[in-house]
């Protein structure tokens, strides 16, 4: 799942200088519920007692809370597409818990701190220096926003289309401490839980049963229902917060950087297996995982090649070339069928590659896509492939089937749209593109739609 965030954040000011004062009487204090992991660790965990209200039912609800037999287990509520959350009434419980809907909207567009798609790429979340916003991709529209009084959000992680989000404070004036993950229930309009650490949070990943928190050199995996720590992983320095998790309920696959440059670590929790893959010689810059966790795409800091691996045994299945010049890869994305791979970089071009491997049978071409794939492969292969083995690998590389040129100077992330052969591109300048590619003809993609989601709502 593609994510862009700005780091680092300034130190969090102490808004409660009186250590004996509890500004939130409905929650126990951190001192009362602090759970130190290890005196040698650079992080510690604390959480509030979660006061869940009845907010509907969901087909894949987690179990009851171990620490509160009266807690309502129905912590999720799936909204029918398009997502239409309930209207919230104004609250007055303090700056850190509730947005102020009466704050006048600023005349200037807010500063963008974070961009990310949700798990099925149907929506995207925006964190700004004054709150967060949620948008629908197709049709494009702002679903809702929560504006805070001069409080920035540098991390927003959605959970499909439900009312639960994970927030991390950031920017010049963070709404929450940057070393905390706040679990926000938009149905209640407040935070219902938190996870605290001794260093800044770099990213968060959600499943219906797990919360994954990424620090610069640690990854923590928690049970969603009671915030119980299940696993902690040490990584090489990971300032981007690189992490990916599968989304199928039957199995959990987690990918994070390993302890060596160019190495990725794959955790298969169902089979209790750990696989280390030496994916590149240079440091890992980006990676993506298919929803079932079987395919893993990686790129390095060089940004010239993208490699696709079988996540189970680490076999290299395919290698494609973005270009000859170094580039910073911003995002990688698989299509829902794993037939296509999208890549965005600082070169201002989004590339679409044809994948020839079947996740169920590595190395075998997908016969069900033969009509489109054969045409695409013909165009994506180099015309000099007949001298493969004589000249450098560059001349026999697999190239992209389709491209879309973007204005340079901004960071872009990409995902596949729900309509066939479409992609959605988001920019940190507020740009939204929806484009279509022709797998038979290839070449330049067709722009179907453009918006600037930072403009006032009236401009949409």
């Amino acid at each position: 799942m593609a994510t862009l965030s700005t780091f680092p954040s300034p130190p969090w000011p102490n808004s409660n200088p009186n250590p004996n004062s509890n500004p939130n009487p409905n929650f126990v204090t951190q001192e009362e519920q602090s759970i130190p992991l290890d005196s040698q660790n650079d992080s510690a965990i604390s959480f509030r007692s979660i006061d869940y209200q009845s907010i509907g039912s969901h087909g894949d609800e987690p179990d009851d809370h171990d620490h509160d037999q009266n807690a309502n287990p129905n912590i999720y509520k799936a909204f029918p597409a398009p997502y239409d959350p309930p209207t919230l009434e104004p609250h007055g419980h303090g700056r850190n818990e509730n947005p102020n809907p009466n704050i006048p909207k600023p005349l200037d567009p807010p500063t963008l701190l974070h961009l990310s798609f949700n798990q099925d790429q149907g929506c995207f979340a925006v964190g700004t220096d004054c709150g967060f916003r949620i948008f629908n991709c197709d049709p494009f529209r702002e679903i809702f926003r929560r504006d805070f009084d001069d409080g920035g959000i540098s991390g927003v992680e959605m959970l499909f289309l439900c009312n639960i989000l994970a927030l991390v404070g950031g920017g010049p004036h963070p709404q929450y401490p940057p070393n905390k993950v706040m679990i926000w229930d938009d149905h209640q309009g407040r935070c219902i839980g938190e996870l605290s650490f001794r260093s800044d949070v770099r990213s968060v990943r959600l499943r219906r049963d797990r919360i994954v928190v990424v620090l610069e050199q640690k990854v923590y995996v928690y049970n969603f229902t009671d915030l119980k720590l299940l696993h902690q992983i040490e990584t090489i320095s990971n300032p981007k917060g690189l992490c990916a998790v599968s989304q199928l309920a039957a199995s959990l696959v987690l990918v994070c950087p390993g302890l060596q440059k160019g190495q990725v670590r794959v955790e298969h929790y169902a089979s209790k297996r750990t696989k280390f893959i030496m994916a590149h010689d240079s440091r890992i810059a980006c990676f993506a995982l298919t929803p079932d966790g079987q395919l893993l795409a990686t790129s390095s800091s060089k940004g010239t090649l993208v490699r696709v691996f079988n996540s189970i045994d680490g076999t290299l299945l395919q290698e494609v070339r973005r270009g000859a010049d170094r580039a910073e890869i911003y995002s990688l994305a698989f299509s829902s069928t794993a037939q296509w791979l999208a890549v965005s970089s600082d070169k201002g071009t989004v590339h679409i590659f044809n994948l020839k491997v079947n996740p169920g049978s590595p190395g075998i071409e997908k016969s069900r896509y033969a009509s489109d794939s054969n045409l695409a492969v013909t165009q994506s292969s180099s015309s000099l492939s007949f001298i493969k083995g004589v000249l450098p690998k560059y001349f026999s590389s697999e190239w992209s089937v389709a491209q879309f040129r973007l204005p340079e100077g901004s960071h872009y992330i990409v995902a596949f749209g729900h309509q066939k052969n479409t992609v959605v591109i988001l920019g940190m300048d507020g740009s939204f593109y929806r484009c279509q590619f022709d797998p038979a003809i290839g070449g330049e993609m067709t722009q179907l739609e453009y918006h600037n989601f930072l403009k006032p709502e009236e401009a949409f």
Side-chain angles (χ1 to χ4, degrees):
M1 183 176 61
T3 304
L4 283 179
S5 299
T6 57
F7 295 104
S9 300
W12 175 253
N14 182 8
S15 59
N16 182 26
N18 183 358
N20 298 319
S21 173
N22 182 5
N24 298 294
N26 293 327
F27 296 115
V28 295
T29 63
Q30 294 182 16
E31 290 77 13
E32 292 171 318
Q33 296 248 349
S34 178
I35 306 179
L37 290 175
D38 190 325
S39 60
Q40 302 300 318
N41 285 347
D42 63 349
S43 61
I45 302 172
S46 64
F47 60 89
R48 299 174 179 178
S49 58
I50 301 178
D51 181 19
Y52 293 110
Q53 296 182 7
S54 178
I55 56 175
S57 60
H58 193 283
D60 295 321
E61 295 156 0
D63 296 331
D64 241 333
H65 305 291
D66 295 336
H67 66 279
D68 186 358
Q69 297 299 322
N70 297 320
N72 192 321
N74 300 325
I75 66 170
Y76 303 120
K77 180 178 180 182
F79 293 96
Y83 177 37
D84 189 13
T87 301
L88 299 178
E89 296 297 327
H91 298 275
H93 302 296
R95 176 181 180 271
N96 283 348
E97 291 303 323
N98 297 280
N100 185 349
N102 298 319
I103 299 174
K105 296 181 180 179
L107 297 177
D108 296 329
T111 300
L112 204 57
L113 302 178
H114 170 90
L115 266 180
S116 64
F117 289 97
N118 73 337
Q119 289 82 355
D120 65 2
Q121 289 81 53
C123 297
F124 66 94
V126 174
T128 73
D129 58 352
C130 59
F132 67 93
R133 306 175 186 185
I134 305 297
F135 294 83
N136 193 68
C137 291
D138 189 12
F140 172 81
R141 69 183 183 97
E142 181 179 307
I143 299 173
F144 72 94
R145 67 173 68 186
R146 299 293 174 251
D147 292 328
F148 298 102
D149 185 8
D150 195 27
I153 299 294
S154 66
V156 186
E157 177 75 358
M158 299 179 66
L159 182 61
F160 291 96
L161 300 179
C162 78
N163 51 294
I164 302 297
L165 301 95
L167 304 179
V168 179
H173 305 285
Q175 173 67 14
Y176 305 109
N179 67 324
K180 289 187 178 183
V181 175
M182 310 301 295
I183 309 302
W184 176 273
D185 181 353
D186 204 68
H187 191 79
Q188 300 184 44
R190 66 185 181 93
C191 290
I192 58 175
E194 70 176 44
L195 294 165
S196 299
F197 305 89
R198 295 194 184 104
S199 59
D200 287 358
V201 175
R202 295 308 186 187
S203 68
V204 184
R205 299 289 181 263
L206 297 183
R207 282 172 46 108
R208 289 190 173 97
D209 58 352
R210 296 290 185 269
I211 301 175
V212 179
V213 181
V214 184
L215 308 184
E216 182 146 348
Q217 292 185 305
K218 282 286 186 71
V219 176
Y220 294 100
V221 182
Y222 298 91
N223 189 41
F224 209 129
T225 57
D226 54 11
L227 303 186
K228 178 182 178 181
L229 179 65
L230 302 177
H231 193 198
Q232 55 179 310
I233 303 170
E234 292 188 9
T235 71
I236 197 171
S237 179
N238 184 19
K240 292 183 178 180
L242 299 178
C243 184
V245 294
S246 64
Q247 294 298 330
L248 292 187
S251 64
L252 169 58
V253 180
L254 180 149
V255 180
C256 63
L259 288 171
Q260 302 177 38
K261 181 178 65 174
Q263 184 187 70
V264 291
R265 174 173 178 160
V266 185
E267 292 287 340
H268 294 272
Y269 287 96
S271 59
K272 299 181 180 179
R273 295 176 55 191
T274 301
K275 182 66 180 178
F276 291 93
I277 302 174
M278 284 305 303
H280 301 272
D281 294 330
S282 305
R283 64 175 178 82
I284 300 296
C286 191
F287 52 70
L289 195 63
T290 52
D292 60 9
Q294 292 192 40
L295 292 182
L296 169 67
T298 68
S299 66
S300 73
S301 56
K302 290 183 179 179
T304 54
L305 297 173
V306 177
R307 291 173 175 149
V308 180
F309 296 89
N310 179 332
S311 71
I312 299 175
D313 59 17
T315 303
L316 176 61
L317 303 177
Q318 192 171 347
E319 181 180 274
V320 297
R321 181 173 290 275
R322 180 212 54 81
D325 299 331
R326 295 181 69 100
E328 182 178 358
I329 302 297
Y330 291 141
S331 68
L332 301 171
F334 286 97
S335 65
S336 60
T337 60
Q339 182 188 4
W340 308 104
L341 178 70
V343 181
S344 67
S345 72
D346 64 351
K347 294 298 183 180
T349 303
V350 170
H351 295 269
I352 305 296
F353 296 93
N354 172 249
L355 299 184
K356 300 179 294 182
V357 294
N358 188 324
S361 303
I364 300 176
E365 291 191 9
K366 299 177 181 180
S367 59
R368 65 182 182 275
Y369 302 126
S371 59
D372 285 347
S373 298
N374 290 341
L375 289 168
V377 171
T378 299
Q379 296 186 17
S380 62
S381 297
S382 169
S383 61
L384 298 178
S385 60
F386 68 93
I387 53 175
K388 182 178 181 180
V390 179
L391 293 178
K393 184 186 291 186
Y394 173 86
F395 292 100
S396 59
S397 298
E398 295 184 49
W399 299 83
S400 58
V401 175
Q403 309 82 32
F404 186 74
R405 318 289 174 180
L406 294 157
E408 293 189 34
S410 183
H411 291 199
Y412 298 94
I413 60 175
V414 61
F416 284 88
H418 287 187
Q419 295 187 33
K420 186 177 181 180
N421 300 333
T422 62
V423 294
V424 174
I425 305 168
L426 307 176
M428 289 293 282
D429 58 357
S431 56
F432 172 98
Y433 297 88
R434 194 165 63 89
C435 308
Q436 187 171 40
F437 63 95
D438 189 323
I441 300 176
E444 291 293 325
M445 286 188 261
T446 302
Q447 180 177 314
L448 303 177
E449 197 173 358
Y450 171 81
H451 301 278
N452 188 319
F453 54 80
L454 290 180
K455 289 184 178 180
E457 186 175 353
E458 294 76 17
F460 291 157

